[in-house]
Amino acid sequence: MGNYISRPQQIGTTQEGHSEKRDVVPHLSPCPSLPIEEPTQSFWTYPPSSIATHTSRDSFPTQADVVIIGSGITGASFARTLLGIDQERHDVSAPLSVVMLEAQETCSGATGRNGGHINPPLYHDYDDLKRSLGAPTAQQIMHFRLAHLEVLPEVAQAEADGADCREVEAVDVYFDETVFAEARRKLNIYKADMTQEAKTYRVWEGAEARNQFSLSPLAVGCITTRAGAIHPYRFVTSILSRLLEEYPKHFQLFTQTPCTSITGPSPTNPFYCVNTPRGQLMASHMVHLTNAYVGGLIPGLADTVHKVRETMSAQRPGRGLQLKAADDANGHGRRSYVFFDSPSRKGFDYLTQLPNGEHELMFGGGLEAVYDADAGDACRPAQSRGMYDVHSAAHVSGALPVYFGARNWGAEGEDTGSHGWSPWAAGRVKALWSGALSVSVDGFPWVGRVPPALSGRLSPPSIEQSQRMVDSGEWVAVGYSGEGMVHAWLCARALALMVLGLDTATDIETEGQYGAGQSVDEWLPGCYRISETRWKHARRISKGLNGREAVVRGGTGKMKVYSGVDGF
């Protein structure tokens, strides 16, 4: 995630005690189109990985087969798939040359600033997708999202054991009877069509729900199923560390190296020219994995993939709070919550708990920030500097005792984890930060070869090249609409297979069972594919809406739980 110039900084604390990056060079463009240096410190990224500021070598390369822009979960999945499958099928002594550019620190964008949830929207938007796309496509999307619950733990077990990837009980909490009734209606439709996948669902009502999940008297009911949780920063940095060790000459990572512009091919140069402060780099393939900031280098996507800034926190639980069942022998960190709002607000917040340390509550403001967004929101001074919105920060800092109830919450937790200096505050809210995520105006990710009409650059002319990859071009996997952890990994895998020319192959080894014996066209939902026709349709949608309306319309799948409520 992210590729923009990194500025010198030092980490300190504000008067309130929240971790903050203090800029030595404070000036920023009032409305940057490329990622900025985030001023707030994500709890996930401390302590930093050994590759946080990695530079593969002193001299900058001048040529590469593939240049990847962005070092988040999408970049890790793409690089892992590309290098691993190419090595399996071709000469292991000469892998493809791959350069990954990251403007800030490794995994410092959306992946390193999210909530750590692997919690797919399922019943929430299944009925809407079924009505708009048909049952087969809607079910394919459900299966695609669900596959991440199997794939990510398998990868983590093999390559990122310290990422605490685990299965959790997902609890959707409702505080409004009308919204809860609509959720139950949608769940029944999902159950009727996807019987096997819906077996783990259960509906809890009234006092039973409140007692089982330690909720406020304001809660009217819950819907539960299985989901996952992970330490996203450790997951990504572990995978990238392995790739750097396994391919020391052929996979290079340059942090603090923004791609400032891309020059298309010319009659005298058949390659893309990547411009950076370290120098120019020629490449056959450009892979854009910058999510919310994709419009900076692919102008055509600027009005179809919107940027939204949301607030996250790490909080100490109240001393009376019990977030695990009495008979749960697995300990803390085995539940994940989503708190749904009223019909008038139509937002949600999300929570999971760490299994170790002080068992911090990782709590985020959901789409509460979207509700207040306006057409120029990304250019407001606070947002353009990367700071969280004051209203959103106040909401996140104070909501949990309300959601669980003062009696359940109990006295405030004490700081039991600090020994010596710590960047974190001593009160309930240990850390408060924000991050930019993307919202696709038509609700689906954008995956595939970028048409020249969107980039404004012609494709390189066909030249004789290795059969290990398809013809040169630009590629993209972005626009996850707040649900990156259940889209990014497999979208990136599909993209890597496209670049390798293996998207029609059916003999590719897979993690888990998803996609086994199938081509990319069979397991990647077709509505995720980028095309000029789809782009033109999305632009027509976007032109009829202001910024706030476009964001809400695309939204995350969980927002669709409100779609049957009057006034949505």
Side-chain angles (χ1 to χ4, degrees), residues 85-100:
I85 292 180
D86 177 69
Q87 186 178 52
E88 289 173 5
R89 292 183 168 245
H90 299 285
D91 184 1
V92 297
S93 65
L96 296 172
S97 60
V98 179
V99 173
M100 177 177 283

Side-chain angles (χ1 to χ4, degrees), residues 59-82:
S59 60
F60 192 62
T62 59
Q63 190 82 28
D65 293 316
V66 180
V67 170
I68 302 169
I69 306 176
S71 65
I73 187 171
T74 312
S77 175
F78 179 89
R80 179 181 181 273
T81 302
L82 188 81

Side-chain angles (χ1 to χ4, degrees), residues 36 41 177 191 197 220 241 262 321 371 456 477 488 504 533 560:
I36 62 171
Q41 177 76 33
E177 289 284 4
K191 283 183 171 182
E197 294 80 3
V220 299
S241 294
I262 300 169
L321 193 61
Y371 184 87
T504 60
T533 299
K560 300 302 188 292

Side-chain angles (χ1 to χ4, degrees), residues 349-374:
D349 301 326
Y350 46 85
L351 168 74
T352 193
Q353 186 177 32
L354 298 188
N356 42 40
E358 291 189 277
H359 307 299
E360 290 89 349
L361 304 175
M362 308 303 287
F363 180 60
L367 291 191
E368 184 268 341
V370 169
Y371 184 87
D372 292 324
D374 205 345

Side-chain angles (χ1 to χ4, degrees), residues 192-262:
D193 288 6
M194 303 192 70
T195 307
Q196 187 64 33
E197 294 80 3
K199 281 186 175 180
T200 58
Y201 273 99
R202 178 175 174 181
V203 175
W204 306 73
E205 300 193 41
E208 183 185 29
R210 293 189 288 271
N211 293 335
Q212 180 69 19
F213 302 107
S214 301
L215 295 170
S216 160
L218 299 172
V220 299
C222 301
I223 296 175
T224 61
T225 188
R226 57 184 287 266
I230 195 170
H231 193 301
Y233 179 75
R234 290 181 191 162
F235 179 72
V236 168
T237 55
S238 294
I239 291 168
L240 293 178
S241 294
R242 181 189 68 79
L243 294 178
L244 289 166
E245 292 175 3
E246 191 167 335
Y247 305 96
K249 296 181 180 179
H250 300 278
F251 176 60
Q252 299 177 68
L253 167 63
F254 290 88
T255 61
Q256 301 175 331
T257 307
C259 173
T260 54
S261 65
I262 300 169

Side-chain angles (χ1 to χ4, degrees), residues 8-15 20-25 39:
Q9 62 181 341
Q10 57 186 355
I11 297 177
T13 54
T14 64
Q15 289 182 344
E20 179 180 3
K21 295 180 180 177
R22 294 175 182 165
D23 297 322
V24 177
V25 184

